[in-house]
Amino acid sequence: MPNLLEFSDAGRRDRALTPTLETPAPSPPAPLPQGERGGTLAPILLFQHVSKWYGPVIGINQVTLELRPGITGLVGHNGSGKSTLLRLAAGQMKPDIGSVKISGCDAWTAEAKRHIGYCPELDTFYEEMSGRRFVQTMARLCGYPRAEALRRTEETLTLVGMNDRAERRLAGYSKGMRQRIKLAQALLHDPELLLLDEPLSGIDPIGRRESIELFRELARRGKCLLISSHELEELEKLTDHVAIMAAGRIAAVGTLTQIRDLLDDHPLSIRIASDQNRVLAALLLDLDDVVGVDRSDGYLLVRAKNPRRFFQRFGELVLDRMIEIQHLETLDESTHDVLGYLLGGKAR
Amino acid sequence: MQLLHYRSWQGTFHSSWWAVWPIARVALGTLLRRKLFWTLYSFGLLLFLMFFFGAFLLAWAESQMAVSGPQLGKMGDPGRMMRGIRSALRILNGSQDTFQYFFAYQGGIVVVMLALAGSILIGNDFTFKSLVFYLAKPIGRWHYILGKCLAVAIVVQLMTTLPALVLYGQRAFDDWEYFWHVNYFIDNDTGKGPAGIVLLFGILGYGTMLSVFLSILLVATASWMRRTMPLIMVWMSLFFFLRLLANILVDGLRYNVRWRLLDLWNDLTLLGQGCLGYASDDISPKLHPEFWEAGLVLIGVSVVCLIYLNFRTRGVEIVR
C-alpha cells in the first residue's frame, strides 16, 4: 500500500475538494487565491465520511469530498473505488455510513437526481431501440411533458452530433456513437452535476475534441463535472485538478502541481539547459532541496525535493548570476507520473 | 462546439409516477418486436376464436334441435339430447364455466409466454445493467418495478381479460337477458352460476388477480434468474413440479388438503373460481383448500417477491 497523501484544503481554495482527513496534514500547500470556480458557493457534491461495503469487501472507505463548479478528474487503479464513488454520487446506491448530498439533498432522492447527469461506463442497453427513442424515453423519465421531452431530445442529439443517426437502432451503433447517446441522455435536463465514467473511451479524435470542448464549455457555465478516466493524457487536456483514489480512499486531491509538491519521497525531475551548464550544476548542488544533478547531451537533469521552494531559489540564483536559461522542463509532473508515484507501480 | 442553449423550464415537472408508463412502454415495445410473442399470441387468438365461434355452434345446434326435433325424436328424447349437447358444450355457453376454462387455457399460454419473455422484459436490465439509466433519473426503484409490472400486466390482460370481455360482450349482444339477469342460467336451466354484472365483475377480478400475481412473480424471478433457460426452469418448478408434488401429497399420500396450496397455479385457479362465483362443491378437484387460504398464499408469495425486488434493486451493481 503506498503512502496516502492526505490533506485538507477545504475553505482555502475556490475549487477545493476535501479529501479524507484522518491524520494531521503533513505539509499542506499554501492557500490559493479565489478563482473562477467561486469558492464561496455551497458544494454541489458533498461526501461526508462515506463508507460502502459489498459484503466483506469495502468499496469506499471514509471518504469526505466536496465538489464545486469546474472539472475534476477521478483517477485510480481498477478496483480503487472510482465507480463506487460515482454510483454513490449518482444516487444508485446508499452509503452504509455517512452521507452523500447533491445540492443539499440526499443523493438517492428524486430531487437530487434532478441535479445529476450520469453517464455510466456500460454501453449495452436497449439494443432494439433507436437512439432517438432511448433519449426521448429518458427525457420522459425526467418528468418533462411530451412536447418538451421531444424538444430536449432533438437539441441534445444535435449537441452530441447524433441527430442524423439517431433513427438507427442502438445495436448498430459503434462504441463512439453509444458514448454520444449516453452523453445526450445525461445532458437532457441541464444538470448541475455531471458524472462521467470514461466518457472519451471509444470516441474518434474529432469527437474527442468536440467532447472536450463541450465539457470545458459546461464547466465555464458553472457546471460541476466529475470525470473518471483511464485516458490520462486526454484528462490532462481537460483539467489539472484531480482526485486520486486508492483502495477505496481518496489518496490525494487538488491540482497536479499541488499533489506533486507533496511527494517528498519522489524528487521532481527537471531538465535545464543554460549558457553555463557547468557553473549552474555546481550552484544547484549547493541548494538544500537538490538531491542530484546529472549532465547529458547539453542538458542538466536536476532532481529536487520541495519543488515550490526549489523554483523560488532557482529563480533567485539565475538572476543573481546572470545565467541565461535556454530550456526548462519538468519531466514527471504529468497525471501519469503523479499517479505512478502515489499509487506505486505503473499508473495504467 | 455550439453549446446547447437550454430554454429554462418554466413548467411543472410531472410526478415520478408518470415515469411508470414510459418504462412499461419500453418493455412492451421490446416484447412486441419479437416473433415469438406473436406466435404465442396467435395460439391464444386461436383459442379465443374457438370459444367465440363455439357459442355460434351451440346456438346453431339448439336451432337445429328445434327444427329437427321430430326426426330426432326417433333416436331418443330431444330434450335429453339437447341437455347432453349442452353439457358437452357447456364451456361455450357464456357461463362461469366458459370463463373458467378460458382463463385456464389462456393462462397456460400466458405462463409459457412470460417464462420466455421474462429475460427480455426484465432480466436484460440486470444482465446488461441498463437499470442504471433508469435509476439515474428522478425516479425511485418502486417506479421502475411498477413500470415493469405494468408491462407484464398489460400482456396478461391482453391475453386473458380483454378476449374474455369480448366473449362476454358477444353473449350479452346475443341475449340481453344474459347481461341484466343474474340468475339467467339457473332460471333457464342451462347451467350454473351467476350471469350479468356479477359475472362481469368476476371476469375482471379473475383477470386482475392473474395479472397482478403473475407480474410480480415474473419481475422477481426474472431479476433473480435473468436468462431465459434458468427462468423457464424456475417457472416449470413453480407451476409444474409443485403441482405434481401437491397432487402426490394430497391425492396419492392422502396428506392434509392444505398441501395443495403448494400448487400456485391451483391457488390462482381456486381464487379465480371464487371470483366467478363458484360454490365450493362445484370446484374440481374436490379436495381443495379454502378460497381465503389460496388467497393468503398468493399474497404471501407476492410479498416475498416484493421484498426480494426491494433488495435486488437497492444495489444496482455488485463488485464481483
Side-chain angles (χ1 to χ4, degrees), chain A residues 259-275:
Chain A
I259 297 170
R260 185 66 188 85
D261 286 357
L262 294 169
L263 291 170
D264 285 340
D265 295 343
H266 296 278
L268 180 68
S269 297
I270 308 143
R271 183 186 284 162
I272 302 171
S274 73
D275 58 345

Side-chain angles (χ1 to χ4, degrees), chain A residues 54 92 113 118 122 125-126 128 141 143-144 148 151-152 155 159 185 187 210 213-214 217 221, chain B residues 1-7 9 13-14 34 125 129 132-137 314 317 319:
Chain A
Y54 299 106
Q92 305 274 308
K113 287 176 184 174
Y118 182 41
L122 67 101
F125 26 93
Y126 293 99
E128 289 168 8
L141 296 188
Y144 291 114
E148 182 66 11
R151 190 184 72 79
R152 283 182 181 254
E155 287 189 358
L159 176 70
Q185 64 82 29
L187 289 169
E210 287 175 353
E213 208 177 308
L214 170 66
E217 182 57 35
R221 290 179 170 233
Chain B
M1 178 179 282
Q2 182 66 36
L3 186 66
L4 180 64
H5 292 282
Y6 287 101
R7 190 175 63 202
W9 171 241
F13 283 110
H14 283 159
R34 308 280 164 162
D125 282 357
K129 301 183 175 110
V132 170
F133 289 106
Y134 287 122
L135 298 188
K137 299 299 173 200
R314 188 180 293 162
E317 291 171 65
V319 169

Side-chain angles (χ1 to χ4, degrees), chain A residues 161-181:
Chain A
M162 284 297 291
N163 206 14
D164 53 337
R165 292 167 285 181
E167 274 308 312
R168 283 164 55 180
R169 286 170 55 194
L170 287 166
Y173 280 6
S174 68
K175 190 168 170 58
M177 289 157 80
R178 285 164 187 264
Q179 289 284 18
R180 288 165 187 255
I181 287 291

